[in-house]
């Protein structure tokens, strides 16, 4: 079922598929240019509607539908206004083509409002689709979905901790938090960190430790912007996955040429894609990742397989990884950083 949803449209670049047994949810991250992305989202939502029956669904995470949340996140040179426009168009198509009611969430209404029943669908409704429920569609900047287990904290205390962390309760900037009781009596603090430049996962962990809370296993859900990465984000960097997807797409195009030189390059691009997808969070690795993403542009151009979409993906990847390079690393690798900045100028 998950493979059918993630692979419903071959034109989009699937960056990550991250299922969670306890929450009974899967996060699918994809990237593409506007029209292709919209078609890919529609195909994925359609597959979810076809394969998932909410009457038989169980899981600890709150939800309103089979394709529960569809957020559009601007990358590269695209803007939040672009993402909002695309979200509106997606919502209209979901209702008109699939007859699944749509909530629009964002500036004036949160997912919490929708899940708590404090809102009516914007399109369709008030009754929901009998098997697929509804879809919440919105636009936002990149965030980090970050969970930690609290092995020595009971449920009531954990809920109080979550309340005190929430930005909406005058807690930590950019933190939304819930608590779930998982199987085996495990208590999980589940957070969305939506101001990643101010409050990355490491800052939340440090705050919990400062309060004397014993922090257990950490979990990243989906992908993490490089600028916010801590150890748990190794192999799950958004920008590295963008670069990997571009390299894989380049390999596919090379194979279409069929000649020996292009076939050899396809093998090298696939190997590079595997390496980028697994990129770690060490400062030297992220600097090297930025260099590798930038270097793929002239390689693909020389092979005559570079298009605007792949160039935009590689540019966003390289710039995001470059932004994660610390001042100390810049001083240690002055020449390399300067060369990367020149390439990205």
């Amino acid at each position: 079922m998950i493979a059918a949803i993630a692979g419903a449209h071959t034109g989009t670049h699937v960056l990550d598929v991250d299922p969670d047994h306890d929450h009974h949810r899967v996060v699918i991250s994809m990237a593409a240019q506007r029209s292709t992305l919209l078609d890919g989202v529609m195909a994925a939502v359609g597959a979810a509607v076809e394969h998932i029956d909410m009457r038989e669904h169980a899981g600890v995470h709150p939800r309103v539908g089979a394709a529960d949340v569809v957020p559009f996140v601007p990358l590269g040179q695209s803007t939040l206004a672009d993402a909002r426009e695309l979200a509106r168009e997606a919502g209209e198509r979901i209702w008109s083509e699939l007859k699944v009611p749509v909530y629009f969430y964002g500036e004036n209404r949160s997912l919490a409002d929708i899940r708590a029943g404090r809102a009516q669908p914007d399109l369709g409704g008030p009754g929901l689709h009998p098997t697929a429920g509804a879809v919440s569609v919105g636009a936002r900047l990149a965030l980090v979905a970050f969970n930690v287990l609290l092995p020595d904290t009971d449920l009531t205390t954990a809920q109080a901790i979550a309340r005190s962390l929430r930005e909406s309760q005058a807690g930590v900037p950019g933190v939304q938090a819930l608590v779930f009781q998982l199987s085996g009596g495990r208590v999980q603090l589940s957070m969305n960190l939506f101001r990643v430049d101010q409050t990355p996962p490491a800052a939340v962990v440090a705050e919990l430790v400062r309060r004397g809370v014993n922090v257990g296993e950490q979990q990243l859900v989906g992908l993490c912007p490089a600028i916010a990465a801590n150890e748990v984000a190794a192999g799950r960097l958004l920008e590295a996955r963008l670069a990997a997807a571009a390299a894989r797409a380049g390999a596919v195009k090379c194979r279409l040429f069929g000649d020996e030189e292009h076939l050899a390059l396809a093998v090298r691009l696939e190997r590079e894609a595997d390496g980028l997808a697994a990129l770690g969070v060490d400062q030297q690795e992220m600097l090297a990742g930025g260099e590798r993403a930038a270097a793929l542009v002239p390689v693909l151009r020389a092979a005559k397989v570079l298009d605007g979409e792949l160039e935009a993906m590689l540019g966003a990847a390289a710039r995001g990884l470059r932004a994660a390079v610390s001042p100390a690393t810049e001083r240690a690798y002055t020449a390399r950083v300067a060369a990367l900045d020149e390439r990205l100028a």
Side-chain angles (χ1 to χ4, degrees):
M1 180 191 303
I2 292 174
I5 296 170
H9 187 267
T10 58
T12 53
H13 305 277
V14 176
L15 307 181
D16 185 61
V17 179
D18 189 6
D20 186 284
H21 174 76
D22 289 304
H23 288 244
H24 204 184
R25 294 167 69 84
V26 59
V27 175
I28 299 172
S29 304
M30 60 179 69
Q33 291 183 322
R34 181 190 176 95
S35 60
T36 305
L37 181 60
L38 185 56
D39 288 342
V41 167
M42 287 302 302
V45 172
V49 171
E50 178 184 355
H51 290 285
I52 299 173
D53 187 338
M54 292 302 295
R55 295 171 299 183
E56 301 174 358
H57 182 277
V60 299
H61 200 287
R63 67 277 182 189
V64 297
D68 190 46
V69 183
V70 180
F72 288 86
V73 179
L75 299 173
Q77 300 302 309
S78 60
T79 66
L80 191 56
D82 296 330
R84 291 191 184 108
E85 185 179 322
L86 194 55
R88 173 62 62 170
E89 188 174 348
E92 290 171 352
R93 284 188 59 182
I94 288 169
W95 169 241
S96 65
E97 298 175 23
L98 301 174
K99 297 306 177 186
V100 177
V102 173
Y103 296 93
F104 290 113
Y105 74 96
E107 295 179 20
N108 300 317
R109 183 166 57 183
S110 69
L111 287 172
D113 293 329
I114 294 168
R115 288 167 174 160
R118 295 190 291 266
Q120 291 294 317
D122 296 282
L123 302 174
L128 303 185
H129 188 283
T131 61
V135 182
S136 297
V137 183
R140 60 166 173 78
L141 298 176
L143 57 72
V144 179
F146 181 58
N147 301 335
V148 297
L149 293 181
L150 305 180
D152 298 329
T153 306
D154 62 65
L155 185 62
T156 301
T157 303
Q159 290 169 336
I161 292 170
R163 286 193 296 272
S164 70
L165 288 173
R166 293 173 190 149
E167 181 182 272
S168 62
Q169 301 293 318
V172 180
V175 175
Q176 297 168 329
L178 292 172
V179 169
F180 298 108
Q181 182 90 58
L182 306 183
S183 60
R186 295 169 298 153
V187 175
Q188 182 189 69
L189 177 62
S190 178
M191 294 166 284
N192 280 343
L193 310 181
F194 59 92
R195 302 189 199 278
V196 295
D197 54 337
Q198 290 181 259
T199 310
V204 175
V205 172
E207 175 62 18
L208 290 170
V209 171
R210 186 188 69 79
R211 297 182 183 194
V213 178
N214 182 19
V215 176
E217 180 184 351
Q218 302 175 30
Q219 176 192 23
L220 183 74
V221 182
L223 300 177
C224 180
I227 196 172
N230 67 345
E231 293 82 1
V232 75
R236 306 194 66 80
L237 295 177
L238 168 62
E239 294 87 351
R241 294 294 185 90
L242 272 174
R248 287 199 179 93
V252 170
K253 291 186 174 189
C254 282
R255 290 192 181 281
L256 294 177
F257 278 84
D259 60 89
E260 184 176 341
E261 185 175 357
H262 276 90
L263 291 175
L265 177 58
V267 172
R268 294 197 298 273
L269 288 171
E270 288 164 352
R271 188 180 304 122
E272 177 68 345
D274 290 341
L276 285 165
L279 195 72
V281 298
D282 177 86
Q283 279 285 299
Q284 291 188 45
E285 286 187 85
M286 288 200 282
L287 173 56
E291 293 170 326
R292 291 160 66 182
L296 280 170
V297 173
V299 171
L300 297 184
R301 181 180 291 119
K304 301 188 186 310
V305 297
L306 183 70
D307 59 24
E309 181 177 81
L310 298 187
E311 187 169 10
M313 290 170 63
L314 290 168
R319 288 182 175 85
L321 289 162
R322 166 65 182 91
V325 174
S326 69
T329 303
E330 290 180 7
R331 291 191 294 270
Y333 300 97
T334 305
R336 287 175 60 186
V337 171
L340 177 57
D341 288 343
E342 183 177 356
R343 178 168 280 180
L344 296 176

